[in-house]
């Protein structure tokens, strides 16, 4: 065996001591899940499921480091005017944005509108790094890039540029963007792409605009208004959407079309990957089995048997299936009761069928049952929902008070109790407790705990998460890791975004 | 000579070692922690499953799932029933019926999809040949399909392939015998299904297979930079250490 394989084998062995590496404690798993709906504290970066992961974005021009004396920035910090008379190449009035361009997305873009071409129309738009000297045009210095209005050239690190596109002047709107997927700078004029160049500059890049002759005046748009770009290009696309979609599109979706096309390109590449035809069916089936959606499962199995040709969904390893079919009917009934808010009935049935999951010490080190706790919380929430506040208080005193000091439990208890303080609890920060998702989490907890009562259960993780969910998690982590190993720029997989996107457009 | 061989092989080993060393090694424990840090919402998972039922056309399953999970279907179930009727008609060889249904659903579909329309007509021809209606088949080919063939070279080639079925006694074993196979019907049926979905601004494919392909692709890409636990069997989603 060669030295190479020997070495990597040892690395593998070190991390795999025994079967139960990093087993998740089901109690803390579901307690954390129960608070998933609560709004995150200010300033915290969200998980990978955020639409645009929380990063600071440019919102206005930076007046602190701009080349004072040559320019005047408006009070709203969105316009700049060259007030001097320019004499040479070191009195450019360049202004950067207040924050660098965010990187954890596919595309970043901003625009500049020329209000007045002034004496010589020597304005520019582009990106510069942190150490850029504000008295030079973007593009004239290393680690900067700029598209200049007077000659339509692109400057990319030297004083000599290359022919790139048209010149631009009064009433033109030009845009500059970074495509992290293709690692390119791209520029637009009046809604149409002018061109793109490879981006080799690394590190934080600030959107930059510059003016350089008397009375030149430009206005920037960091997304607070609609962009000129994409609207024209995507007219045909947007017009095919129903009206309400138009209004709902937030400003950051204005680069939607360009991004969508970029994603489509990537999508087409991935589409060629061979896939075993029934993998999806097996995953859907095991999902339904896992969560106890019995009626759906029966209907689905029947339909697939009747398709032409019939689709086989049985796992090669038969014993796997038996484990997940465990207590299917009872799990379905419990889920139904909890989804309808009938907590007392659910507790009674559990006492009848699986009393052990309500007992303290079930699979845990401490002396409380997380399942019991979550059911009690839900009952409390249901009482608040129907306005039985006095009964809720009594119930809380009886069943929830003892958890007030316990770490892991106290956050949820406090949120529940806080519900009593509001006239309109739904509008408050703890309003999430009244959503249907909360009942869903309790139902999922009970489901998992019941699965764990199966004496044949081999895989703890399998009881907490469906195979489909594991696939989604693996995909997310692979993308995150891939991104972090390649400069940490670009977008990552997001289930939300994948669900909301449509790679299909009319006329494409 | 053999010495050169030994040196070359060692160089190859060293290269492999260097490559392996330059890859980041992520332990099982570390990887599982990353997996657990991902936030997944149950309703998004449900939407994935509902999208599967709706796009593949499992109307009853979609209805039951809506009731059992509270997930919206996101599309008018009636349109799925219509679409499935068309698909089924083609799968059973009733192409004329399918064409009528498609036009009832949306006359623009066939108008804007010449390739689809040609494939449907081709399927009609195949069915005529299959049922031994030779004269009718020839007439149909000459009147309906030949004009299409003149418009487009690829159509003409397909037409010729189909008509050549008539030349053989033992159609099942001839070079173009696959046209008579049920897979040909299924192919056409899939094409119609996709065209209807597209016309409704719905995606042609459910998301789940796309996600699976993305996973295969993402793992392949990450393999170049890191050693980490992989999922090799998609249907059980078991993590396997890449120890070897």
């Amino acid at each position: 065996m060669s030295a190479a394989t020997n070495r990597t084998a040892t690395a593998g062995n070190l991390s795999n001591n025994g079967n139960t590496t990093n087993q998740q404690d089901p109690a803390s798993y579901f307690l954390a899940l129960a608070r998933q709906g609560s709004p995150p504290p200010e300033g915290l970066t969200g998980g990978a499921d955020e639409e645009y992961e929380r990063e600071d974005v440019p919102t206005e021009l930076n007046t602190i480091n701009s080349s004072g004396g040559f320019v005047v920035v408006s009070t709203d910090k969105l316009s700049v005017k060259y007030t001097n008379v320019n004499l040479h190449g070191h009195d450019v009035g360049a202004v950067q944005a207040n924050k660098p361009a965010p990187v954890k997305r596919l595309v970043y873009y901003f625009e500049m509108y020329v209000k007045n071409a002034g004496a010589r129309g020597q304005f520019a738009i582009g990106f510069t790094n942190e150490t850029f000297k504000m008295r030079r045009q973007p593009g004239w210095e290393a680690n900067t890039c700029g598209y200049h209005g007077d000659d339509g050239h692109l400057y990319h690190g030297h004083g000599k540029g290359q022919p790139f596109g048209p010149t631009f002047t009064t009433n033109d709107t030009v845009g500059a963007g970074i495509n992290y997927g293709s690692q390119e700078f791209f520029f637009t004029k009046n809604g149409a792409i002018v061109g793109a160049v490879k981006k080799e500059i690394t590190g934080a890049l600030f959107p930059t605009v510059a003016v350089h002759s008397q009375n030149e005046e430009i206005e920037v748009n960091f997304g607070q208004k609609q962009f000129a770009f994409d609207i024209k290009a995507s007219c045909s696309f947007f017009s095919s959407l129903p009206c309400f979609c138009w209004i709902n599109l937030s400003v950051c979706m204005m680069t939607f079309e360009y991004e969508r096309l970029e994603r489509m390109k990537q999508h087409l590449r991935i589409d060629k990957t061979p896939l075993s035809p029934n993998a999806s069916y097996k995953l859907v089936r095991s999902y339904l089995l896992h969560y106890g959606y019995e009626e759906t499962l029966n209907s689905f199995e029947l339909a697939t048997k009747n398709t032409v040709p019939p689709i086989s969904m049985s796992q090669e390893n038969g014993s796997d299936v038996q484990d997940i079919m465990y207590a299917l009917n009872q799990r379905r009934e419990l889920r139904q009761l909890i989804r309808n808010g009938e907590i007392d009935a659910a507790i009674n049935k559990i006492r009848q069928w699986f009393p052990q999951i309500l007992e303290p010490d079930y699979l845990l080190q401490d002396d409380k049952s997380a399942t019991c706790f979550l059911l009690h919380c839900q009952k409390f929430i249901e009482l608040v929902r129907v306005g039985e506040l006095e009964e809720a208080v009594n119930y809380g005193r009886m069943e929830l008070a003892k958890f007030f000091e316990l770490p892991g439990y106290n956050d949820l208890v406090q949120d529940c109790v806080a519900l009593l303080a509001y006239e309109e609890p739904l509008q408050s920060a703890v309003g999430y407790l009244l959503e249907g998702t909360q009942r869903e989490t309790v139902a999922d907890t009970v489901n998992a705990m019941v699965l764990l009562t199966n004496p044949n259960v081999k895989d703890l993780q399998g009881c907490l998460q469906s195979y489909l969910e594991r696939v989604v998690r693996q995909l997310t982590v692979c993308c995150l890791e891939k991104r972090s190993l390649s400069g940490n720029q670009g977008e990552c997989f997001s289930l939300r975004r994948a669900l909301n996107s449509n790679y299909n457009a009319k006329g494409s | 000579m053999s010495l050169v061989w030994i040196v070359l092989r060692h160089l190859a080993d060293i290269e492999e070692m260097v490559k392996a060393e330059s890859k980041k090694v992520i332990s099982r424990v570390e990887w599982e922690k990353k997996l657990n840090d991902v936030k997944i919402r149950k309703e998004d998972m449900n939407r994935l499953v509902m999208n599967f039922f709706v796009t593949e056309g499992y109307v009853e399953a979609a209805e039951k799932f809506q009731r059992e999970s509270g997930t919206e279907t996101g599309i008018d179930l009636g349109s799925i029933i219509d679409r499935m009727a068309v698909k089924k008609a083609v799968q059973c060889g009733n192409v004329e019926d399918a064409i009528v249904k498609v036009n009832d659903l949306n006359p623009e579909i066939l108008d804007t999809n010449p390739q689809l329309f040609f494939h449907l007509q081709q399927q009609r021809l195949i069915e005529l040949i299959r049922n031994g209606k030779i004269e009718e088949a020839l007439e149909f080919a000459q009147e309906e399909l030949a004009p299409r063939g003149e418009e487009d070279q690829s159509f003409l080639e397909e037409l010729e392939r189909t008509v050549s079925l008539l030349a053989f006694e033992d159609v099942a074993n001839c070079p173009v015998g696959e046209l008579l196979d049920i897979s040909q019907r299924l192919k056409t049926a899939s094409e119609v299904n996709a065209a209807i979905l597209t016309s409704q601004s719905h995606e042609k494919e459910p998301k789940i297979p796309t996600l699976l392909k993305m996973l295969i692709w993402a793992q392949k890409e990450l393999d170049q930079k890191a050693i980490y636990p992989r999922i090799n069997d998609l249907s059980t989603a078991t993590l396997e250490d890449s120890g070897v």
Side-chain angles (χ1 to χ4, degrees):
Chain A
M1 189 157 57
S2 77
T5 43
N6 227 346
R7 216 187 132 86
T8 44
T10 345
N13 282 337
L14 274 174
S15 61
N16 190 26
N17 23 338
N19 292 327
T20 56
T21 51
N22 212 19
Q23 287 291 346
Q24 270 235 292
D25 165 30
S28 44
Y29 182 81
F30 285 111
L31 285 172
L33 219 57
R35 290 204 74 238
Q36 202 184 46
S38 72
E42 287 293 318
L44 220 61
T45 47
D49 73 300
E50 303 291 11
E51 181 67 59
Y52 286 120
E53 295 162 67
R54 302 241 175 89
E55 272 179 290
D56 284 334
V57 288
T59 50
E60 58 189 23
L61 294 171
N62 185 342
T63 48
I64 301 173
N65 69 350
S66 60
S67 37
F70 305 140
V71 297
V72 165
V73 177
S74 60
T75 38
D76 66 0
K77 302 197 187 175
L78 293 171
S79 291
V80 61
K81 182 172 179 170
Y82 195 81
T83 47
N84 227 26
V85 178
N86 62 323
L87 301 169
H88 48 71
H90 287 262
D91 58 4
V92 179
V95 192
Q96 285 180 333
N98 59 340
K99 296 269 188 270
V103 297
K104 292 194 178 141
R105 53 176 70 186
L106 187 59
V107 170
Y108 174 73
Y109 179 76
F110 76 105
E111 285 185 341
M112 170 179 106
Y113 170 71
V114 182
K115 280 169 140 169
N116 189 342
R120 298 200 210 142
Q122 288 172 328
F123 18 66
I125 188 174
F127 293 93
T128 59
N129 65 344
E130 213 161 8
T131 57
F132 177 64
K133 296 190 241 319
M134 297 296 151
R135 293 150 178 256
R136 301 281 285 159
Q137 287 279 14
W140 282 356
E141 303 289 310
N143 294 324
T144 67
C145 182
Y147 175 35
H148 290 205
D150 55 355
D151 56 5
H153 280 30
L154 183 85
Y155 291 79
H156 201 175
H158 336 272
K160 187 169 188 314
Q162 75 212 49
F164 183 66
T167 58
F168 51 92
T169 183
T170 319
N171 288 330
D172 282 333
T173 303
V174 283
I178 307 179
N179 179 339
Y180 293 107
S182 57
Q183 285 293 306
E184 286 180 333
F185 290 116
F186 66 95
F187 296 89
T188 70
K189 178 184 171 186
N190 294 332
I193 289 246
V194 171
V197 286
K198 260 279 174 276
K199 168 174 106 72
E200 263 129 40
I201 312 172
T202 53
L205 283 170
F206 289 82
T208 309
V209 291
V211 285
H212 196 206
S213 69
Q214 198 171 25
N215 292 327
E216 276 177 30
E217 193 177 348
I218 53 110
E219 193 181 281
V220 279
N221 180 359
F222 290 123
Q224 64 270 22
K225 296 195 298 198
Q226 268 181 27
F227 290 130
F229 178 54
D230 278 335
I231 307 304
K232 281 195 184 171
S234 59
C235 242
S236 56
F237 175 70
F238 283 127
S239 65
S240 71
L241 287 176
C243 229
F244 71 86
C245 281
W246 236 125
I247 303 165
N248 276 344
L249 286 168
S250 63
V251 170
C252 56
M253 293 303 237
M254 284 306 142
T255 46
F256 188 67
E257 176 71 7
Y258 180 74
E259 277 186 24
R260 197 184 62 83
L261 289 170
E262 284 298 308
R263 288 204 190 102
M264 257 182 79
K265 275 190 231 157
Q266 200 184 53
H267 182 70
L268 286 167
R269 260 179 276 144
I270 297 173
D271 209 36
K272 309 265 192 279
T273 318
L275 180 67
S276 79
N278 292 345
S280 306
Y281 282 82
K282 289 183 185 166
L283 283 171
V284 169
R285 180 169 177 268
S286 66
Y287 183 88
L288 298 173
L289 274 169
H290 175 91
Y291 283 112
Y293 293 117
E294 194 184 12
E295 282 185 25
T296 313
L297 176 69
N298 290 339
S299 169
F300 183 52
E301 287 196 312
L302 189 63
T304 48
K305 284 206 185 74
N306 291 337
T307 47
V308 174
I311 297 169
S312 147
M313 299 191 290
S314 52
Q315 303 280 24
E316 283 75 45
N317 180 7
S319 63
D320 244 342
V321 172
Q322 276 172 9
D323 290 334
I324 328 181
M325 290 213 77
Y326 175 78
L328 182 60
N329 190 268
Q330 289 146 318
R331 289 187 285 124
R332 181 187 65 80
E333 210 177 312
L334 288 172
R335 177 176 296 277
Q336 244 182 332
L337 289 169
I338 297 172
R339 278 184 55 82
N340 289 334
E342 300 173 45
I343 307 298
D344 286 327
I347 295 181
N348 285 337
K349 288 272 184 229
I350 297 174
R351 285 223 171 92
Q352 214 184 320
W353 294 329
F354 308 103
Q356 64 266 49
I357 73 173
L358 295 175
E359 297 298 315
D361 216 26
Y362 179 66
L363 283 185
L364 311 172
Q365 304 303 315
D366 58 63
D367 61 347
K368 302 274 177 287
S369 156
T371 317
C372 217
F373 169 71
L374 286 173
L375 283 162
H376 287 315
C377 280
Q378 196 58 38
K379 169 105 187 118
F380 179 89
I381 293 167
E382 297 304 327
L383 287 169
V384 171
R385 191 198 303 279
V386 295
E388 304 262 13
L389 298 183
E390 213 184 297
E391 213 184 312
V393 169
N394 289 336
Y395 193 81
R397 285 198 183 133
M398 216 166 39
E399 304 290 356
L400 296 181
K402 53 182 169 262
F403 295 99
F404 224 80
E405 300 291 303
L406 273 176
Y409 295 80
N410 53 357
D411 284 327
L412 190 55
V413 178
Q414 282 168 26
D415 280 357
C416 284
V417 171
L419 277 173
L420 295 168
Y422 299 95
E423 246 184 45
E424 305 263 1
L426 256 178
Q427 322 292 349
S428 69
V430 291
Y432 75 94
L433 291 170
L434 291 166
E435 310 268 355
T437 43
Q438 206 59 24
R439 284 181 182 170
E440 189 77 15
T441 308
V442 177
D444 289 343
T445 311
V446 168
N447 185 67
M449 296 307 186
V450 170
L451 281 173
L452 285 167
T453 64
N454 182 355
N456 295 332
V457 70
K458 297 185 211 91
D459 175 22
L460 183 99
Q461 196 68 9
C463 295
L464 298 182
Q465 291 168 359
S466 62
Y467 296 154
L468 186 60
E469 188 174 337
R470 283 200 261 183
V471 164
V472 174
R473 281 173 191 268
Q474 180 82 354
L475 175 54
T476 311
V477 174
C478 282
C479 286
L480 276 171
E481 200 59 37
K482 191 166 78 80
R483 180 176 74 181
S484 87
L485 290 172
S486 351
N488 214 9
Q489 292 185 347
E491 69 177 0
C492 190
F493 174 73
S494 148
L495 181 58
R496 261 293 151 95
R497 188 176 52 234
L499 282 167
N500 292 334
S501 71
N502 186 340
Y503 295 117
N504 203 36
K506 260 186 166 177
S508 75
Chain B
M1 208 49 176
S2 58
L3 197 62
V4 175
W5 256 122
I6 295 170
V7 170
L8 282 174
R9 275 186 60 193
H10 272 295
L11 280 176
D13 280 348
I14 295 170
E15 201 192 334
E16 222 186 285
M17 221 163 79
V18 168
K19 268 206 204 141
E21 278 191 41
S22 62
K23 287 192 202 171
K24 180 177 175 189
V25 175
I26 308 175
S27 71
R28 178 88 173 217
V29 172
E30 264 181 270
W31 189 259
E32 288 190 343
K33 172 150 197 325
K34 288 179 204 269
L35 288 173
N36 292 332
D37 282 342
V38 177
K39 297 215 180 348
I40 306 262
R41 277 179 252 247
K42 175 84 185 298
E43 52 285 18
D44 288 341
M45 296 300 297
N46 280 348
R47 278 172 68 190
L48 256 188
V49 172
M50 181 58 92
N51 162 275
F52 184 80
F53 289 146
V54 157
T55 315
E56 293 286 284
Y58 294 107
V59 180
E60 227 188 88
E63 279 174 336
K64 294 262 158 62
F65 193 57
Q66 182 173 34
R67 216 150 14 108
E68 284 193 307
S69 73
T71 316
E72 295 292 326
T73 51
I75 195 176
D76 167 37
L77 288 181
S79 69
I80 306 182
I81 298 176
D82 293 335
R83 171 164 55 92
M84 288 301 117
V86 172
K87 194 171 173 192
K88 190 138 190 231
V90 176
Q91 283 170 343
C92 297
N94 301 330
V95 188
E96 274 173 337
D97 189 31
I99 293 178
V100 166
K101 286 192 161 74
V102 171
N103 281 328
D104 278 345
L105 197 60
N106 184 348
E108 274 189 35
I109 296 177
L110 291 178
D111 284 343
T112 52
N113 256 305
Q115 196 181 46
L116 173 64
F117 189 48
F118 177 79
H119 284 153
L120 281 169
Q121 297 285 61
Q122 183 192 22
Q123 195 64 43
R124 258 175 93 177
L125 179 60
I126 294 172
E127 300 304 326
L128 285 170
I129 296 175
R130 188 203 305 278
N131 294 326
K133 302 194 178 149
I134 307 296
E135 254 191 60
E136 221 181 303
L138 284 169
E139 219 182 281
F140 182 71
Q142 284 165 1
E143 282 176 25
E144 298 286 335
L145 286 169
R148 300 269 170 301
E150 276 158 33
E151 290 163 20
D152 188 323
Q153 183 66 16
S154 58
F155 289 177
L156 195 61
E157 283 165 22
E158 276 300 303
L159 175 58
E160 285 172 1
R161 272 188 82 217
T162 316
V163 169
S164 69
L165 273 172
L166 292 164
F168 298 92
E169 279 278 340
D170 185 9
V171 269
N173 291 321
C174 74
V176 288
E178 67 201 8
L179 289 172
L180 285 174
D181 196 59
I182 197 168
S183 57
Q184 183 64 24
R185 279 188 190 168
L186 296 182
K187 213 167 83 169
T188 315
S190 259
E191 220 186 308
V192 172
N193 187 52
I196 299 176
L197 282 167
T198 310
S199 79
Q200 295 168 338
S201 298
H202 201 74
E203 276 192 15
K204 297 186 271 204
E205 256 204 1
K207 307 241 186 222
I208 293 180
T210 309
L211 290 193
L212 294 177
K213 288 183 194 172
M214 279 172 79
L215 176 60
I216 297 172
W217 171 84
Q219 287 191 140
K220 213 160 67 157
E221 295 271 300
L222 189 56
D223 282 342
Q224 293 169 15
K225 301 211 158 124
I227 295 172
Y228 61 96
R230 295 174 107 258
I231 290 184
N232 296 320
D233 179 8
L234 289 174
S235 43
T236 58
T238 11
L239 274 181
E240 290 172 40
D241 293 309
S242 315
V244 184

